[in-house]
């Protein structure tokens, strides 16, 4: 009697699969273009750099160069500072001339520098658009919505309705 046709749900599923395949292909192309561009340059330079954590605030670049002199030639030492009062942040980046010297520098992990155990790890490359934390924004954290407009003034001694609770009235006495 009637010609058999595929149900609409099957057709939409096929269309969605095709669209997903196209999106995956586009994303792969964009990632390849991005990696061959500026990110590739950053990755190459980051292979020669180590992060040194738990550095004493009085430590200077020559002290760090002397501590890491056995690894290889140190090209640059960067000690980030607080932009408001120009005090060191407590960590540093050391750039070596060769990528193989990063492994030698890693052997100095947990060594003492000015009385503190330092942490030495390879520098990670930051990729734009990827966050290392997935925490909510401050306004959305823990469902907190602020004090709202129902907070009474100091002189108020009466009762105010409790809107977020059990539906009764709260007995708020101002301080």
């Amino acid at each position: 009697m009637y010609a058999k046709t595929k149900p609409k749900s099957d057709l939409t599923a096929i269309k969605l699969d095709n669209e997903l395949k196209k999106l995956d292909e586009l994303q792969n192309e964009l990632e390849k273009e991005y990696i061959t561009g500026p990110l590739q340059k950053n990755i190459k330079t980051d292979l020669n750099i180590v992060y040194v954590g738990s550095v004493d605030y009085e430590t200077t670049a020559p002290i760090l160069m002397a501590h890491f002199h056995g690894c290889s030639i140190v090209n640059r030492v960067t000690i980030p500072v607080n932009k408001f009062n120009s005090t060191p942040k407590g960590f540093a980046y050391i750039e070596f001339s060769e990528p193989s010297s990063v492994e030698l520098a890693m052997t100095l992990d947990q060594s003492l520098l000015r009385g503190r155990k330092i942490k030495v790890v390879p520098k990670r490359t930051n990729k734009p658009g990827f966050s290392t934390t997935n925490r909510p924004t401050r306004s959305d954290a823990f469902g907190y919505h602020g004090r709202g407009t129902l907070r009474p003034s100091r002189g108020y001694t009466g009762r105010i309705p409790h809107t977020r609770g059990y539906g009764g009235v709260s007995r708020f006495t101002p301080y």
Side-chain angles (χ1 to χ4, degrees):
M1 294 186 136
Y2 294 105
K4 285 190 173 182
T5 59
K6 291 186 176 181
K8 283 189 176 183
S9 61
D10 289 343
L11 291 175
T12 55
I14 292 171
K15 287 181 183 178
L16 284 174
D17 287 341
N18 291 339
E19 291 293 323
L20 285 173
K21 287 177 185 176
K22 288 179 186 177
L23 283 173
D24 285 339
E25 290 172 5
L26 284 172
Q27 186 174 1
N28 289 336
E29 288 176 21
L30 287 173
E31 284 178 0
K32 287 178 186 175
E33 288 177 15
Y34 185 73
I35 287 177
T36 57
L39 185 62
Q40 187 67 26
K41 183 180 176 185
N42 287 347
I43 290 173
K44 286 181 182 176
T45 57
D46 286 348
L47 292 176
N48 300 348
I49 301 175
V50 293
Y51 164 86
V52 183
S54 187
V55 176
D56 183 36
Y57 295 116
E58 301 295 321
T59 305
T60 59
I63 294 172
L64 284 168
M65 288 177 82
H67 190 73
F68 287 92
H69 80 280
C71 300
S72 177
I73 300 171
V74 176
N75 287 347
R76 178 175 45 181
V77 175
T78 306
I79 302 174
V81 294
N82 186 341
K83 66 182 177 181
F84 298 112
N85 56 8
S86 299
T87 57
K89 290 187 175 183
F91 61 93
Y93 296 102
I94 299 176
E95 182 180 349
F96 295 102
S97 60
E98 301 171 359
S100 61
S101 56
V102 171
E103 293 176 15
L104 290 171
M106 297 264 302
T107 59
L108 292 175
D109 189 27
Q110 298 297 320
S111 65
L112 286 177
L113 176 66
R114 294 181 56 103
R116 297 180 77 166
K117 285 187 178 181
I118 58 172
K119 175 184 176 183
V120 182
V121 292
K123 182 182 182 295
R124 64 178 171 86
T125 303
N126 290 333
K127 294 181 182 178
F130 293 100
S131 175
T132 56
T133 59
N134 293 326
R135 59 183 170 203
T137 59
R138 279 190 163 233
S139 62
D140 196 24
F142 306 112
Y144 179 73
H145 299 287
R147 292 181 175 173
T149 59
L150 293 176
R151 183 172 178 161
S153 62
R154 269 189 199 268
Y156 184 75
T157 57
R159 302 166 88 184
I160 59 171
H162 192 306
T163 58
R164 288 193 193 130
Y166 52 90
V169 290
S170 69
R171 296 172 193 232
F172 180 83
T173 338
Y175 41 88

